[in-house]
């Protein structure tokens, strides 16, 4: 039988070692980023590194229960919390899924070949997300799906490093067009001044910025609109464009749909921004979502008077290094 005093001595040594390592690692990592709030970035990173404490805590709780120090109910509750936090940090953020949605944008007969779009958003390359391995896995999965084009609905970054352009190079592996608009984090709302570096990285990776631009497709027009929080969400120019075919509008914040003017054809808007809540806890997440979307957009399709909006839950993380019941998602939209 293991002596309990020896066990807890070893446990506290491990706990102290991991805590010191986490603090040092967090400060080092933030020093490599372009952040203008180093202490805040360090705290955010620390929340992730301290998750490694969950492993010794798990064994400590099991040992304490076996020694009669904890009740069975107390042990079960603590272990469930540890397992949920471990899953939300170590497993779900790396569990890329693909979601398929059919959407009829035209009233014509649906006999022609539909348009297949891979919609992604909120990569948040930086503190928590967007490692080269994660981006390469994302690109590999998009290639497997063989869409006609890729749409990135903003928020490429979250306190990135000087290696941002290098991380984006994986997008050159796509042999289809990649169209993009910026999100609030790309526009420094909040975030460091990385816009020029992002533009350079995207251009090097053959990603096409379509903000305030029109891309002519076969049956549709693809239009890019700037970020709402950055004050760039001008929609009036769309009403002045030819109205002979429907518009697919790309704008990071789904609340921008409220600004779509009345058009000859009802439009479809593609957005991100909300992360689907990122951590899905009944009631609590819906309360917190009010800060992200005043119109109540969370995930999936929402219908409005002048346009419908489809909200993807995105790929990366901000604020806290967790995803729970909202795995990173590639949305494959088949539009006819």
């Amino acid at each position: 039988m293991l002596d309990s005093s020896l066990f807890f001595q070893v446990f506290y040594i491990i706990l102290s070692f991991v805590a010191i390592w986490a603090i040092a690692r967090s400060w080092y990592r933030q020093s490599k980023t372009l952040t203008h709030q180093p202490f805040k970035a360090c705290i955010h990173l620390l929340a992730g590194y301290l998750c490694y404490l969950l492993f010794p805590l798990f064994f400590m709780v099991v040992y304490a229960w076996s020694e009669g120090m904890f009740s069975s109910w107390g042990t079960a509750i603590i272990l469930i919390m540890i397992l949920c936090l471990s899953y939300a940090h170590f497993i779900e953020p790396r569990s890329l899924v693909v979601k398929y949605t059919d959407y009829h944008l035209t009233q014509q007969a649906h006999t022609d070949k539909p348009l297949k779009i891979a919609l992604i958003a909120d990569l948040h390359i930086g503190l928590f997300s967007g490692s080269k391995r994660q981006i390469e896995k994302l690109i590999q999965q998009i290639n497997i799906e063989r869409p006609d084009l890729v749409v990135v609905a903003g928020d490429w970054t979250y306190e990135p490093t000087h290696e941002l352009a290098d991380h984006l190079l994986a997008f050159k592996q796509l042999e289809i067009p990649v169209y993009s608009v910026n999100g609030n984090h790309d526009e420094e709302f909040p975030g460091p001044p990385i816009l020029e570096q992002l533009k350079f990285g995207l251009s090097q990776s053959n990603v096409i910025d379509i903000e305030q631009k029109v891309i002519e497709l076969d049956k549709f027009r693809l239009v890019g609109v700037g970020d709402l929080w950055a004050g760039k969400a001008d929609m009036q120019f769309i009403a002045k464009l030819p109205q002979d075919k429907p518009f697919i509008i790309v704008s990071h914040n789904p609340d921008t749909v409220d600004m779509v003017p009345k058009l000859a054809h009802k439009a479809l808007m593609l957005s991100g921004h909300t992360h689907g809540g990122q951590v899905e806890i009944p009631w609590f997440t819906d309360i917190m979502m009010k800060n992200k979307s005043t119109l109540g957009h969370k995930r999936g399709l929402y219908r409005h008077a002048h346009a419908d909006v489809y909200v993807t839950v995105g790929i990366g993380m901000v604020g806290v290094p967790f995803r729970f019941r909202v795995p990173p998602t590639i949305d494959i939209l088949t539009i006819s």
Side-chain angles (χ1 to χ4, degrees):
M1 177 76 74
L2 182 63
D3 181 73
S4 61
S5 62
L6 176 61
F7 176 88
F8 281 104
Q9 285 179 13
V10 173
F11 169 73
Y12 289 132
I13 290 172
I14 294 174
L15 215 63
S16 300
F17 175 81
V18 174
I20 293 170
W21 169 81
I23 294 169
R25 182 66 179 166
S26 300
W27 188 254
Y28 173 77
R29 276 283 308 279
Q30 71 77 26
S31 71
K32 297 295 183 180
T33 70
L34 299 172
T35 183
H36 61 285
Q37 294 182 301
F39 182 73
K40 181 180 178 181
C42 182
I43 294 300
H44 283 190
L45 284 164
L46 187 59
Y49 285 118
L50 286 178
C51 287
Y52 286 92
L53 290 173
L54 295 169
F55 298 107
L57 281 172
F58 178 89
F59 290 106
M60 185 277 288
V61 172
V62 172
Y63 177 80
W65 170 76
S66 68
E67 292 293 309
M69 300 177 189
F70 289 169
S71 69
S72 296
W73 277 107
T75 301
I77 292 171
I78 295 172
L79 290 181
I80 288 172
M81 292 176 62
I82 290 174
L83 291 172
C84 286
L85 287 171
S86 300
Y87 170 79
H89 179 72
F90 294 106
I91 299 177
E92 184 163 308
R94 296 166 177 81
S95 303
L96 184 65
V97 302
V98 181
K99 181 181 178 182
Y100 302 92
T101 302
D102 293 333
Y103 181 85
H104 299 305
L105 185 54
T106 68
Q107 301 300 318
Q108 303 169 0
H110 308 302
T111 55
D112 296 338
K113 182 178 181 295
L115 178 69
K116 188 176 181 181
I117 296 178
L119 171 64
I120 58 175
D122 303 290
L123 277 78
H124 290 300
I125 298 170
L127 293 186
F128 301 142
S129 316
S131 68
K132 287 184 180 180
R133 179 181 295 181
Q134 288 174 318
I135 296 176
E136 287 172 358
K137 180 181 178 181
L138 173 68
I139 298 304
Q140 290 170 4
Q141 187 60 52
I142 292 175
N143 276 327
I144 291 172
E145 298 299 327
R146 301 178 65 84
D148 298 308
L149 56 94
V150 178
V151 167
V152 186
D155 267 7
W156 287 90
T157 64
Y158 181 51
E159 312 282 5
T161 70
H162 289 283
E163 299 177 341
L164 175 60
D166 190 41
H167 282 68
L168 292 169
L169 284 176
F171 278 84
K172 295 184 75 171
Q173 299 173 22
L174 292 170
E175 298 180 355
I176 54 176
V178 182
Y179 300 111
S180 166
V181 296
N182 289 337
N184 54 285
H185 281 272
D186 308 322
E187 297 280 1
E188 306 171 40
F189 291 93
I194 49 82
L195 197 53
E196 289 305 315
Q197 186 178 3
L198 176 61
K199 286 181 178 180
F200 172 77
L202 294 179
S203 64
Q204 290 290 103
S205 303
N206 301 330
V207 176
I208 304 167
D209 180 7
I210 61 169
E211 184 175 325
Q212 303 299 113
K213 297 177 183 177
V214 181
I215 304 298
E216 293 288 343
L217 303 175
D218 183 21
K219 295 188 292 182
F220 313 104
R221 283 190 179 89
L222 187 69
V223 182
V225 174
D227 180 63
L228 179 64
W229 288 7
K232 296 183 176 181
D234 176 27
M235 291 277 191
Q236 295 308 310
F237 78 100
I238 300 177
K240 300 175 184 177
L241 296 172
Q243 302 289 310
D244 54 317
K245 49 188 177 181
F247 290 95
I248 300 174
I249 303 169
V250 185
S251 187
H252 175 64
N253 193 319
D255 285 2
T256 313
V257 72
D258 209 29
M259 303 169 65
V260 176
K262 184 172 176 55
L263 305 169
H265 306 274
K266 191 173 186 179
L268 171 65
M269 196 169 89
L270 306 179
S271 299
H273 183 62
T274 67
H275 300 201
Q278 190 171 307
V279 175
E280 179 57 61
I281 300 173
W283 181 78
F284 175 79
T285 300
D286 289 337
I287 296 295
M288 297 299 295
M289 282 296 299
K290 293 180 180 179
N291 295 325
K292 282 282 189 179
S293 172
T294 57
L295 296 181
H297 298 120
K298 189 175 182 181
R299 66 172 96 175
L301 184 67
Y302 297 85
R303 300 192 180 275
H304 293 268
H306 297 162
D308 297 337
V309 58
Y310 188 92
V311 185
T312 182
V313 301
I315 303 296
M317 299 174 287
V318 295
V320 293
F322 302 106
R323 270 189 177 266
F324 185 67
R325 299 176 61 205
V326 193
T329 301
I330 302 170
D331 280 284
I332 301 297
L333 303 176
T334 303
I335 302 176
S336 57

